[in-house]
Amino acid sequence: MDIPLKFAQAVCFNLIIYFMAGLRREPSQFFIFFLIAYISTFVMAAIFRTMAAVTKTVSQAMALSGVLVLAIVIYTGFVLPVSYMHPWFSWIRWINPLYYAFEIMIANEFHGRQFICSQFVPSYPVLTGDSFICSTRGAVAGQRTVSGDDFIADQYGYYYSHVWRNFGILLAFLFAFLIL
């Protein structure tokens, strides 16, 4: 019964969010976004159902779920970038399904795009040759644009080549929690 209900919710939510946020108006990007958001809904539902099954009382489940939500939200790589994570706790991202979903979403949006630089170093009025560079991470000397793939690789360590690998990891999380 969950599948059609969650699908209806996903259609309503994802259509509104995707187009209100002004994300890429391309079918492949939209359907990847939709698929990942839909599967992530099932993964998170399975995680919280497992928490409910493991605990004996509602108060235990609520306490454990509160800590879990905090860890999941902080260690996606968005709230706290990987380079800022304390080494003792950075391992949490590897057991966090939303980390993999977030990498897919970011890589899906930035892949194959070129962003025009608004500020160059040095800021001379005439820029010639390759003696200037954009002030954004992932920039290449002498180019007036920054590749979206280079930006996310340099800034976050995310790669478009990880999209389907991460999708497989999300499915593995889903099946593992369903079995538990």
Side-chain angles (χ1 to χ4, degrees):
M1 191 62 194
D2 262 355
I3 294 172
L5 289 176
K6 286 189 190 311
F7 185 78
Q9 289 173 344
V11 167
C12 294
F13 178 78
N14 289 328
L15 281 173
I16 293 168
I17 289 295
Y18 192 84
F19 293 108
M20 275 186 66
L23 299 177
R24 292 174 76 169
R25 304 264 198 258
E26 297 175 22
S28 62
Q29 269 68 34
F30 173 75
F31 286 113
I32 289 173
F33 173 87
F34 185 87
L35 176 68
I36 300 309
Y38 187 56
I39 293 299
S40 296
T41 303
F42 284 103
V43 172
M44 296 310 296
I47 288 173
F48 287 111
R49 286 182 179 157
T50 302
M51 290 300 185
V54 169
T55 56
K56 293 180 180 181
T57 65
V58 173
S59 60
Q60 286 177 342
M62 294 297 283
L64 193 56
S65 294
V67 172
L68 182 69
V69 166
L70 191 60
I72 284 175
V73 169
I74 290 176
Y75 289 96
T76 57
F78 176 71
V79 174
L80 187 63
V82 175
S83 59
Y84 294 136
M85 290 181 189
H86 194 281
W88 293 354
F89 300 117
S90 67
W91 60 269
I92 294 173
R93 75 180 185 271
W94 301 118
I95 61 169
N96 181 359
L98 289 186
Y99 171 77
Y100 299 102
F102 186 69
E103 181 177 4
I104 294 170
M105 298 283 198
I106 295 295
N108 182 46
E109 184 63 26
F110 281 79
H111 177 65
R113 296 185 78 177
Q114 293 291 328
F115 297 97
I116 298 171
C117 292
S118 61
Q119 187 175 6
F120 296 97
V121 176
S123 58
Y124 295 141
V126 178
L127 302 172
T128 59
D130 62 353
S131 61
F132 65 93
I133 191 166
C134 185
S135 62
T136 304
R137 292 185 74 158
V140 176
Q143 291 187 357
R144 296 180 183 273
T145 60
V146 175
S147 164
D149 292 312
D150 293 340
F151 173 74
I152 63 171
D154 194 39
Q155 179 75 23
Y156 302 108
Y158 293 165
Y159 302 94
Y160 186 75
S161 61
H162 293 175
V163 166
W164 296 111
R165 178 203 73 174
N166 288 358
F167 180 68
I169 292 170
L170 282 175
L171 290 178
F173 271 114
L174 176 62
F175 294 129
F177 282 107
L178 286 176
I179 290 168
L180 282 175

